Amino acid sequence: MATTTLSPRAEQYQRSWVLDWLTTVDHKKIGIMYIVNSFLFFFAAGILALAIRSELAVPGLQFMDETTYNEAFTMHGTIMIFLFIVPVLAGFGNYIVPLMIGAPDMAFPRINALSFWLLPLGGILIFSGYLFGGAAAEGWTGYTPLSGPTYAPGAGTDLWIIGLITVGTASILGAINFIATIFKMRAPGMTLFRMPIFVWTILVTATLILLATPVLTAGLIALFIDRNYGGSFFDPAAGGNPILWQHIFWFFGHPEVYIVILPAMGVVSEILPVFSRKPLFGYRAFVYATIGIGLLSFSVWAHHMFTTGVVFLPFFAFMTAMIGVPTGVKMFNWLATMWRGSISLTTPMLFAIGFVAMFLIGGISGVMAAAAPVDFHLQDTYFIVAHLHYVFFGGSVFGVFAAAYFWFPKMTGRRLNERLGKVHFWIHFIGFNLTFFPMHSLGITGMPRRIADYDPTNTGWIILNSLETVGAFLIAISIFPFLINVIATLINGERVGDDPWEANTLEWATSSPPPPHNFDRLPPVRSERPVFDLRHRHDAEVLTAEGLTAEGGH
Amino acid sequence: MAVQASTAPAVVEHRQSGMPTPLVGMLLFIASEVMFFGGLFAAYFNSRATHAAEWGPPGGHELEAWPLATILTILLVTSSVTMQFGVAAIRRGDQGRLRMWVGLTLILGVLFLLGQLYDYSQLGFGISDGIFATTFYTLTGFHGAHVFGGAVGLTILTARAMSGQFTARNHVAVEAISMYWHFVDVVWIGLFFTLYFLR
Amino acid sequence: MRRMAVPHSLRGVLRVGVPLLLMVLLGGCLIPPEPETKESQAVFTLYNVIFAMAVVVFLAVEGMIVWSIFRYRRKDDRLPHQLHGNTLVEIIWTVIPTVIVLTIFAGSMITLGTVEARSPHPAVTIEVDGFQWNWTFRYGTTDNDPSNDYSITGTPAKPAVMGLPVGEPVHLILKSNDVIHSFFVPHFLIKRDVVPFPDPNHHNELEFTVTNPGTYAGQCAEFCGTAHAQMVFQIQAMSRSDYDTWLKDQISGAAKPSATAAPNAQVVKISADKLKFSTDRLEVPAGVPFVIEFENKEAVQHNIAITDEGGKELFRGDIIQGPQTVKYNVPALDAGEYTFLCDVHPTIMFGTVVAK
Ligand code: HEA
Ligand code: HEA
Ligand code: CUA
Ligand SMILES: [Cu+2]
């Protein structure tokens, strides 16, 4: 992205701006690097998705053989999750969290830089399988014994393992940094229950990363030992238990899905109040629901293993269903925030509402899959593919775009063009539903996932699959208005001042873009909306509603 | 609605109360390590449960708690104590004692590692000899790697103590390494009982 | 910001309504296939109940979103009432989902009881072997009577067929020796993973009672490597008497002795290991029967079949699981070039036969 506008007054620096960015420990620059890097991986994984969709448009093998197809969806899933959606949210967190809590930087700036730089390294390792006899092709879940030495002898899977360990280490370090920052670097007055919801979600997310990712690391190391040193953790022929891998993977994997949704929920919880001009309804309930989801997420992992025949179904079915309750609380809090508000449909707001509307569908399909006997039918079909894209794409990715449109003025001082933004949103929204909604139907009628070819006699499937392919290309097309918008705005965008949205939280109290040390002066923090309070500090009625007096303090 | 009209003073100072930030970082890191070893232990117990009948080293070899493993345990536990003496010393500002205790801890740690290597050479089975062997070497190996990491930390600590970098008020690194060292010790105690006594 | 309200909301209705309509149309049928077993009827009912609840929740929430967007659009600069929360409504909307979710859970557990029920004396017990990348169905392996044994291994060209009697409980034993597969029949609304457990005596099981005669497609649902997509099979459910004749026919058909070769017939050797033949070219005598000595060196199933240019099958050897060596007696071939292949792995294991 246009580094020229972003680096503060380049002439002050002797070093070239390239070196400046490469060696920076400033959380804002690191945040932007996170975001740019993640988007590059998004495009790579998205192009793989287009390849998948092209192959599936009609039955038969047209563009690739089966191995290439298997590599494609494995890389697509792995890259989307580990190198796009997790890091991009961490990137926004990196940029915004210190600003939101009134801190000058993250707690450990150099570790922050390290955790960023491990990401492209890990990503390249994972992709480099393509250069060494074929990338990993066992699905992003890498089930054993398929991913063991006997059935996947290639170097691609080893690179996949090492790459994931690298990326995992990056997120663990990042998580430590976030938690330490949030606990130790808050500005005076910024008590825990005055923190913006986004900060809360990042805090819970970081805790999940801290506790879940090391378990995946342990599993990956065990798999590596099996593959390279003759170990037998997961090899049934040598007494190992292949199901053990699934337990380890999903013990990590399920918290992982909340790792990618919670920050997006945080983004939405910042945006909806701003464009409804109301406070978030039920702030405390929202915080408790977030914590509740975090706790529950460690006790539901085996809902991915309902059909293995070896898990205790009642417990996991119960816990899984229960997780819908705190999520529902959030859902209704968002609705109540918009209710009787004063809603303006800006692009970030559109994406935020899109999140609420689309995540709902993904959540409902999740609860349907939580009914164990129903999951016996749905597991490993396109219904699950539909579910996971409604939560990942309809949820997290909509959240990411909402965040991008919302905080772009903060990062650059310029607002993205609203007209182009709306074009982006609508093509995106329609393309998304066209791609993924029919997948529910495919899955229910029995189309398994992860197949390169399907029954050529089933015309229903062919029609739906072709439509989905059209939808996928619509999504791809919608990316272009976005990219054009970003570039055009960086070059010649409308300068909109420090607080263009009339927002609530501390990051809007400093200049746009913020100075290297973030704040020249901090407003007093007496509620979860310090900038709102500041804007309305002479407005007695509002202050009373906030529980504050005009003099300040309680 | 100009927010810039803020009249509040620029209070960008942050509270220094409570635990120093680097220690918070170390605690969090240890939490992640607990989960890492938790994963490996879970793998151990799961494998064990699927092989309840024939659990143990392959081919008639025996895993003896006495003498080597017990001695190693004593070494490591002692090293935790000496480490704590070092911390106590620098809290009083006693740089000389700090050097002595940290150095001693380092020596004990290295002895532990050497002992473990010797133990490996005597066992008579390798990592690829079945599921017990795999879990055994993975668990003890990764623990050993952590001891090694701790020893590297202790070496740096000793060097810095030699050049008098720590004082009663400024010794966060000593506290941090000691936390880590105690953690590694606790993991070993868990391993010792799991591997040698839980029959 | 001050536009006329009517055209505004009309445009909005189109904006939201059209995609919604499209979605409903595209969703097409969100109802599972006709359930064809006793167990799946319970699942079908459960699914429909849950689906109905889902539709209600969906419409209620999406409705509120759409309503809010239109009703509460910003009209002026006034700040709306700053409402921070309301404990009562928050309790209500915690309790209602809890009740829904508990209902779903209770329904699931009742249905689970039906699906997992086991009868003491299933009418038919079939051993289902999943392997990379096909299925073998073995009948009659649980008794000591070899005369009723019958086994069939599917090939991509000719998927395995599982014949079943209707109205009687059928018991499946699911075995794998390589990776995890999953036995999935959409019309039975069920799948169960076929797992290579470390304990050789531990297998997953599945039991159901088919209610209607018919042919039902099945497929491996757990990703199991390259040709996962080709692991299809078929279920043929028929009346008891039809089933008995079917099984008898299959047993006698399978046991048909192949023509004995002349004692001095030429022997051609070939072996298979790691999903590869030892050669991709076999030279055989033209015009006389010959013998192929085939050594399968691995635990994977293979065979040798010979086809002509047009793909017509001229010879098909029994599929065997290694390590094992068999002698195939092949009838005479005219001089020319043919293709030999493994029926189980036709896309990766093939070569040329030259008869001269
Ligand atoms: C961001 C990621 C994300 C999120 C948030 C979720 C959320 C949920 N998921 Fe999902 N899930 C995935 C990502 C995610 N999932 C992925 C990637 C897979 C596939 C992995 C693979 O195999 O590759 C998967 C698979 C998956 C399965 C396994 C399917 C299978 O393989 O057979 C199940 C089964 O129970 C499940 C359940 C749920 C549930 C109950 C929720 C709940 O948290 C949803 C809660 C939300 C709501 C319910 C909506 C809002 C609530 C209300 C409006 C209140 C009223 C509602 C009710 C009373 C129901 N998910
Ligand atoms: C965050 C997660 C995420 C996201 C965003 C997506 C996005 C998409 N996914 Fe995927 N997907 C997964 C996570 C995700 N996916 C996972 C976890 C799986 C399971 C994998 C497994 O089974 O192991 C999966 C599986 C999966 C399948 C099933 C494969 C199978 O089972 O056989 C399909 C099939 O259609 C699919 C399609 C798509 C499509 C069309 C998009 C689109 O929305 C993509 C849109 C993006 C683009 C089209 C890129 C745009 C870029 C450009 C236009 C180029 C511009 C470039 C420059 C200027 C340089 N995905
Ligand atoms: Cu067997 Cu997929
Ligand atoms: Cu899950």
Side-chain angles (χ1 to χ4, degrees):
Chain A
M1 281 188 187
T3 41
T4 42
T5 32
L6 298 178
S7 57
R9 270 161 287 285
E11 64 271 23
Q12 287 175 5
Y13 289 83
Q14 296 301 314
R15 295 181 299 174
S16 79
W17 63 266
V18 179
L19 202 67
D20 193 44
W21 277 81
L22 292 185
T23 57
T24 187
V25 295
D26 176 4
H27 74 97
K28 297 185 288 302
K29 287 186 182 169
I30 293 177
I32 288 172
M33 288 198 295
Y34 258 105
I35 295 167
V36 173
N37 178 65
S38 308
F39 267 98
L40 293 180
F41 279 110
F42 173 59
F43 297 149
I47 288 167
L48 285 172
L50 294 182
I52 293 173
R53 285 289 1 136
S54 307
E55 180 56 61
L56 291 177
V58 286
L61 295 174
Q62 291 86 29
F63 299 105
M64 45 180 111
D65 60 13
E66 288 169 319
T67 308
T68 317
Y69 181 86
N70 298 342
E71 289 171 0
F73 73 71
T74 302
M75 287 296 122
H76 165 71
T78 308
I79 299 295
M80 278 291 188
I81 293 179
F82 293 97
L83 285 143
F84 166 53
I85 199 77
V86 176
V88 77
L89 292 164
F92 282 108
N94 235 296
Y95 196 102
I96 297 300
V97 164
L99 289 167
M100 274 187 162
I101 60 175
D105 203 324
M106 296 281 278
F108 308 109
R110 270 174 297 178
I111 291 184
N112 202 16
L114 174 65
S115 36
F116 166 70
W117 284 106
L118 286 176
L119 286 173
L121 176 67
I124 289 168
L125 281 171
I126 293 173
F127 262 128
S128 63
Y130 275 115
L131 304 177
F132 296 96
E138 295 84 48
W140 81 282
T141 49
Y143 274 12
T144 54
L146 184 61
S147 57
T150 322
Y151 304 101
T157 307
D158 289 314
L159 289 162
W160 180 81
I161 294 174
I162 299 169
L164 282 188
I165 293 177
T166 313
V167 174
T169 309
S171 19
I172 294 171
L173 293 177
I176 293 175
N177 218 338
F178 275 124
I179 301 177
T181 306
I182 293 170
F183 276 118
K184 299 299 296 184
M185 309 275 287
R186 273 172 287 131
M190 180 62 75
T191 59
L192 282 180
F193 278 97
R194 285 179 194 162
M195 294 196 312
I197 291 291
F198 181 65
V199 178
W200 265 110
T201 55
I202 290 279
L203 178 62
V204 174
T205 298
T207 313
L208 295 185
I209 293 178
L210 191 74
L211 299 180
T213 313
V215 178
L216 177 69
T217 308
L220 287 168
I221 285 174
L223 183 58
F224 196 79
I225 289 172
D226 270 15
R227 293 177 54 83
N228 295 289
Y229 305 105
S232 41
F233 279 107
F234 308 121
D235 177 11
N241 182 4
I243 300 292
L244 171 62
W245 167 263
Q246 298 189 17
H247 280 298
I248 293 179
F249 186 86
W250 291 118
F251 183 84
F252 150 82
H254 191 83
E256 168 78 6
V257 308
Y258 294 104
I259 289 168
V260 309
I261 201 70
L262 289 178
M265 289 174 163
V267 169
V268 169
S269 312
E270 296 305 328
I271 291 176
L272 289 181
V274 169
F275 298 105
S276 309
R277 302 188 105 198
K278 276 180 64 198
L280 182 72
F281 190 93
Y283 173 96
R284 270 182 189 259
F286 203 97
V287 170
Y288 292 135
T290 306
I291 296 172
I293 291 177
L295 291 176
L296 277 173
S297 73
F298 282 103
S299 57
V300 303
W301 77 87
H303 64 220
H304 298 272
M305 302 164 59
F306 279 158
T307 61
T308 55
V310 291
V311 297
F312 185 59
L313 298 174
F315 174 78
F316 288 104
F318 180 75
M319 295 312 257
T320 305
M322 284 314 281
I323 218 163
V325 174
T327 320
V329 168
K330 295 181 161 201
M331 210 73 191
F332 297 124
N333 281 343
W334 288 325
L335 291 178
T337 305
M338 296 202 289
W339 198 257
R340 312 181 98 169
S342 171
I343 296 174
S344 53
L345 289 182
T346 58
T347 312
M349 184 65 167
L350 280 176
F351 273 101
I353 296 175
F355 173 103
V356 180
M358 295 299 104
F359 176 74
L360 173 76
I361 301 179
I364 290 178
S365 57
V367 171
M368 290 168 77
V374 173
D375 187 61
F376 289 168
H377 179 58
L378 298 178
Q379 155 117 80
D380 275 322
T381 65
Y382 263 84
F383 188 88
I384 303 304
V385 179
H387 163 67
L388 77 90
H389 285 94
Y390 265 89
V391 283
F392 272 148
F393 199 108
S396 309
V397 177
F398 273 64
V400 165
F401 280 115
Y405 282 97
F406 185 59
W407 281 310
F408 198 85
K410 183 81 275 177
M411 297 177 179
T412 64
R414 297 163 188 268
R415 172 159 49 192
L416 288 168
N417 181 297
E418 278 289 307
R419 186 171 289 271
L420 268 180
K422 282 174 185 153
V423 170
H424 172 199
F425 173 79
W426 283 110
I427 305 180
H428 198 85
F429 183 81
I430 293 169
F432 166 74
N433 282 296
L434 196 60
T435 311
F436 297 113
F437 201 79
M439 287 187 185
H440 292 108
S441 179
L442 282 181
I444 287 174
T445 50
M447 176 160 163
R449 61 193 285 203
R450 295 172 170 173
I451 54 175
D453 189 7
Y454 52 92
D455 185 0
T457 60
N458 194 329
T459 31
W461 286 7
I462 300 175
I463 294 172
L464 293 181
N465 270 297
S466 321
L467 278 174
E468 287 167 9
T469 305
V470 173
F473 279 93
L474 270 186
I475 301 177
I477 289 171
S478 81
I479 300 294
F480 287 99
F482 173 69
L483 286 178
I484 293 168
N485 203 348
V486 168
I487 293 165
T489 306
L490 285 174
I491 296 171
N492 189 21
E494 171 197 10
R495 285 190 190 277
V496 287
D498 294 344
D499 181 17
W501 308 119
E502 296 196 3
N504 299 332
T505 40
L506 267 191
E507 79 269 27
W508 303 101
T510 184
S511 63
S512 296
H517 50 280
N518 287 355
F519 293 95
D520 290 328
R521 47 181 59 232
L522 272 172
V525 182
R526 300 204 192 89
S527 76
E528 84 276 10
R529 297 192 294 170
V531 176
F532 177 92
D533 297 343
L534 192 64
R535 190 181 304 119
H536 297 279
R537 65 188 175 284
H538 303 302
D539 195 337
E541 186 202 337
V542 173
L543 290 182
T544 325
E546 290 280 287
L548 304 167
T549 64
E551 281 76 49
H554 281 263
Chain B
M1 299 274 157
V3 173
Q4 294 83 336
S6 163
T7 48
V11 207
V12 196
E13 237 169 73
H14 294 276
R15 281 154 301 156
Q16 285 306 313
S17 60
M19 193 184 272
T21 311
L23 285 194
V24 174
M26 178 52 85
L27 261 188
L28 292 169
F29 178 66
I30 289 174
S32 81
E33 290 282 57
V34 167
M35 293 308 288
F36 174 78
F37 277 102
L40 292 184
F41 269 99
Y44 175 88
F45 283 110
N46 180 289
S47 310
R48 191 186 163 112
T50 32
H51 294 266
E54 1 76 84
W55 193 242
H61 294 282
E62 273 302 321
L63 214 52
E64 305 266 341
W66 180 260
L68 194 53
T70 311
I71 295 175
L72 290 179
T73 310
I74 294 170
L75 281 179
L76 212 54
V77 172
T78 316
S79 79
S80 244
V81 177
T82 56
M83 187 72 220
Q84 205 50 36
F85 280 133
V87 173
I90 195 63
R91 280 185 188 152
R92 294 191 311 267
D94 188 341
Q95 299 199 6
R97 287 283 161 84
L98 171 71
R99 267 171 240 154
M100 184 186 95
W101 288 121
V102 171
L104 191 58
T105 311
L106 176 58
I107 292 169
L108 288 169
V110 171
L111 279 179
F112 173 88
L113 281 176
L114 293 177
Q116 203 181 26
L117 284 182
Y118 174 76
D119 190 25
Y120 280 2
S121 74
Q122 298 302 304
L123 281 174
F125 59 88
I127 191 166
S128 55
D129 293 333
I131 180 75
F132 174 84
T134 305
T135 54
F136 175 83
Y137 278 104
T138 306
L139 274 167
T140 54
F142 270 90
H143 175 263
H146 281 73
V147 178
F148 182 78
V152 172
L154 285 171
T155 313
I156 297 170
L157 211 59
T158 316
R160 289 182 63 186
M162 291 294 182
S163 56
Q165 291 188 11
F166 301 115
T167 64
R169 304 183 84 202
N170 179 7
H171 58 267
V172 188
V174 183
E175 302 264 4
I177 300 281
S178 90
M179 272 181 179
Y180 181 76
W181 195 253
H182 294 323
F183 160 72
V184 171
D185 190 18
V186 169
V187 172
W188 175 258
I189 293 171
L191 268 181
F192 182 59
F193 280 101
T194 309
L195 294 174
Y196 294 91
F197 291 100
L198 210 71
R199 283 288 149 87
Chain C
M1 274 292 160
R2 276 185 179 278
R3 279 209 208 98
M4 287 296 289
V6 177
H8 199 120
S9 57
L10 218 138
R11 240 180 55 200
V13 167
L14 282 180
R15 270 188 196 173
V16 181
V18 169
L20 265 180
L21 194 75
L22 220 65
M23 252 163 68
V24 173
L25 289 178
L26 294 178
C29 119
L30 284 174
I31 300 298
E34 194 69 31
E36 305 286 4
T37 63
K38 235 171 62 194
E39 293 72 17
S40 59
Q41 276 151 14
V43 178
F44 190 76
T45 314
L46 175 68
Y47 175 88
N48 286 335
V49 171
I50 295 180
F51 182 63
M53 292 182 180
V55 170
V56 172
V57 172
F58 172 80
L59 291 178
V61 176
E62 302 289 6
M64 286 207 277
I65 296 174
V66 175
W67 168 262
S68 305
I69 294 175
F70 293 119
R71 176 63 183 75
Y72 304 118
R73 255 325 235 295
R74 188 167 300 179
K75 299 186 189 68
D76 50 39
D77 247 358
R78 261 180 314 171
L79 205 56
H81 177 56
Q82 299 293 298
L83 181 63
H84 280 261
N86 179 321
T87 315
L88 182 65
V89 295
E90 286 179 51
I91 289 175
I92 292 175
W93 70 46
T94 312
V95 169
I96 293 178
T98 311
V99 171
I100 299 181
V101 151
L102 288 178
T103 317
I104 293 178
F105 174 72
S108 305
M109 286 308 110
I110 295 168
T111 313
L112 197 61
T114 316
V115 174
E116 298 293 281
R118 297 279 174 266
S119 61
H121 304 291
V124 187
T125 300
I126 302 166
E127 192 184 301
V128 174
D129 284 7
F131 61 91
Q132 280 179 325
W133 290 279
N134 228 304
W135 302 92
T136 301
F137 302 141
R138 297 180 207 280
Y139 287 69
T141 50
T142 46
D143 54 23
N144 293 323
D145 177 7
S147 73
N148 66 5
D149 284 11
Y150 161 63
S151 95
I152 168 93
T153 296
T155 66
K158 200 158 170 287
V161 174
M162 178 188 282
L164 292 178
V166 298
E168 294 173 59
V170 174
H171 187 87
L172 303 184
I173 302 170
L174 307 170
K175 291 188 179 177
S176 164
N177 268 323
D178 45 32
V179 302
I180 304 176
H181 306 273
S182 190
F183 183 89
F184 175 35
V185 184
H187 271 280
F188 297 177
L189 307 193
I190 190 94
K191 67 176 67 68
R192 183 64 36 95
D193 292 356
V194 184
V195 183
F197 288 108
D199 174 356
N201 298 318
H202 183 192
H203 305 293
N204 273 339
E205 296 175 345
L206 202 55
E207 208 170 291
F208 48 79
T209 305
V210 189
T211 43
N212 294 311
T215 304
Y216 309 114
Q219 183 159 8
C220 174
E222 184 67 67
F223 180 62
C224 54
T226 313
H228 158 66
Q230 296 175 14
M231 278 185 73
V232 297
F233 58 90
Q234 244 182 31
I235 291 202
Q236 257 170 36
M238 43 206 145
S239 68
R240 182 75 213 191
S241 54
D242 287 354
Y243 168 76
D244 287 336
T245 9
W246 174 85
L247 188 60
K248 208 173 284 155
D249 286 353
Q250 300 300 316
I251 293 172
S252 56
K256 194 170 53 201
S258 35
T260 40
N264 57 349
Q266 190 180 331
V267 177
V268 190
K269 289 190 180 175
I270 182 169
S271 64
D273 196 12
K274 304 208 162 60
L275 299 183
K276 276 200 186 73
F277 282 126
S278 51
T279 171
D280 60 3
R281 193 181 157 86
L282 286 179
E283 295 203 354
V284 302
V288 290
F290 58 94
V291 173
I292 296 180
E293 190 179 312
F294 173 51
E295 182 183 6
N296 181 357
K297 294 184 175 169
E298 57 184 338
V300 180
Q301 310 201 43
H302 300 295
N303 79 336
I304 289 182
I306 297 175
T307 64
D308 66 10
E309 295 287 279
K312 191 170 151 269
E313 193 171 273
L314 304 175
F315 167 78
R316 178 181 152 96
D318 289 343
I319 296 171
I320 58 161
Q321 181 160 356
Q324 188 183 338
T325 305
V326 288
K327 287 195 170 134
Y328 294 134
N329 297 316
V330 187
L333 296 175
D334 293 336
E337 290 205 352
Y338 305 88
T339 304
F340 74 91
L341 66 154
C342 164
D343 277 323
V344 186
H345 307 94
T347 48
I348 47 173
M349 293 174 72
F350 53 85
T352 316
V353 182
V354 181
K356 57 183 172 192

